[in-house]
Amino acid sequence: MSTYGTPGAGPRPGVTVHDPTTLPSDDNVDPYTFCVELAGSRWFLQKGKMIAYYGTIDFNGVGHGRLDRIVRTSFHSPLHASDWVVAEGTGRMLLADRAFDVNSYDLEEGNLTIRSGNLLAFQPSLSLKQSIVPGFLTLIGTGKFVAVSNGPVVFMEPPLRVDPQALVGWADCPSPCHHYDHGYMTGVLGGLRALTGLGGASGEEHQFEFVGAGTVLLQSSESLMPEQATGVTPQQAGVPGGGGSGAHGQGTGAPRLPGQLGDLQRRFGL
Amino acid sequence: MFRLQSSKVLAVEMTGDAVKAKNGSMVAYDGDMAFKKLTGGGDGIRGMVTRRLTGEQMTVMEVRGRGICWFADRASDINLVGLQGDTLSVESSNLLATDGGLRTGTVFTGLRGASQGNGLFTTTVEGHGQVAIMSDGPAVLLRVSPQYPLTVDPGAYVAHQGNLRRSLQSGVTFRTLLGEGGGEAFQMRFEGDGLVYVQPSERNTIGGDV
């Protein structure tokens, strides 16, 4: 044994020093760090959120040919493809994100929709799909996933209206709808107030409304990750956020190459 | 005598001795204190020139007096490290305070620093005494032993101590250039015997996005 970690030398007494034998398996190390144990298995994780690992672990983009099978079964979100990698190997890996709170959740034959930036990692037994709500991802199946939130997560039951910035995700309930306060919309004055903020806007005139049975996940702060442009969903009739103008939307942006995953410039970090 | 007032505030009890601390990090004091700016990091002319040349500048002040002095910086989490003749390597931006008797220096770290965006050099602290280092979120301490080498993301690395060899691993392949990289193109590998401090957050690094 090394002398490091004994009182006096190294960290102050009472601070835990971790090594592979003391790190938890698929559990939190502290509120901000999550440890994943890999034993020849695979995990999907968001690019760049690994902070350290013991053992031999490979990280490959989801476009890697060897990962074809796992991508076919567990990854159905081409817009976010450039943000996700697959970790495989043996060892223990620590995940963290901007010192945000990290929590793991178990889904059993369930579904959960989450803001794309808040999902940190998931087991391939779950399958990731793009939600029809832009900027959100849906996980379906059975397995464990890890999500981050700025401040601890609060679980609420519908019916409920939430602030858009505090929303992390929702499970099992139908998609939310927008709710605008009455005064926000009525008359010219209301419209003017909404547009300019003049005459006292509280900043809380607009909420997301949830009804039905399920759970809504909220974070205890209103800070979000910077939204990344993920491109647009296929321009098809009836696809929300399809970027096209109505039913006959034709290519507005640059044409997408066949088989292209995500937007090219984002893959270069631009 | 260093102690943590809270996870983000360092309290130092002084009886006429001196403490070196990051310039402007004092938040309160009780007693008699004198603050003196140490030009160029407080390592003398040679240290100053080295720091200037290597980009590991620190603006350091010396606090001397009797009483209690509290230090904090941008609500960073603070970790205390005790040194008994060994060396702590830490990024200069993560160093909050050291006992007055500890020596600080600058060492060449090779390409690792370049990938980290912090330059090619790192700061070392050696001697007998206590050091307070800062991290974004509470640091996780990971032990490295011969049977358990450790790999760390350069953006999350804060400090290390002990008898460690560190090397840069690059996973840059043609896939990275195609934008299909694994997101962890640069990694620091630690082998030997010692401790590594890792923060639950990543600085922006050149290698961070590929």
Side-chain angles (χ1 to χ4, degrees), chain A residues 179-206:
Chain A
H179 172 89
Y180 290 93
D181 278 358
H182 175 70
Y184 198 52
M185 307 187 294
T186 43
V188 179
L189 266 180
L192 207 62
R193 214 162 42 221
L195 204 65
T196 60
L198 290 177
S202 71
E204 305 286 4
E205 294 87 356
H206 170 213

Side-chain angles (χ1 to χ4, degrees), chain A residues 2 4 10-12 16-18 20-21 32-33 47-48 50-54 59 61 63-64 85 94 96 98-99 267-268, chain B residues 4 82 86 138 140-143 148-151 153 156 161-162 175 177 179-180 182-184 187 193 195 198 200-202:
Chain A
S2 72
Y4 299 97
R12 77 200 156 91
T16 333
V17 181
H18 293 283
T21 54
Y32 312 99
T33 315
K47 204 179 246 190
M50 181 279 293
I51 59 166
Y53 65 85
Y54 288 104
F59 299 89
H64 197 297
V85 296
L94 295 180
R98 292 161 299 152
R267 310 192 143 204
F268 293 103
Chain B
L4 290 180
D86 49 336
V140 178
L141 266 75
L142 297 169
R143 172 175 287 124
Y148 296 128
L150 176 72
T151 314
D153 187 296
Q161 67 179 132
R175 290 186 192 285
L177 302 176
E180 285 285 346
E184 309 291 353
Q187 297 169 350
D193 208 352
L195 290 176
V198 178
S201 165
E202 300 199 4

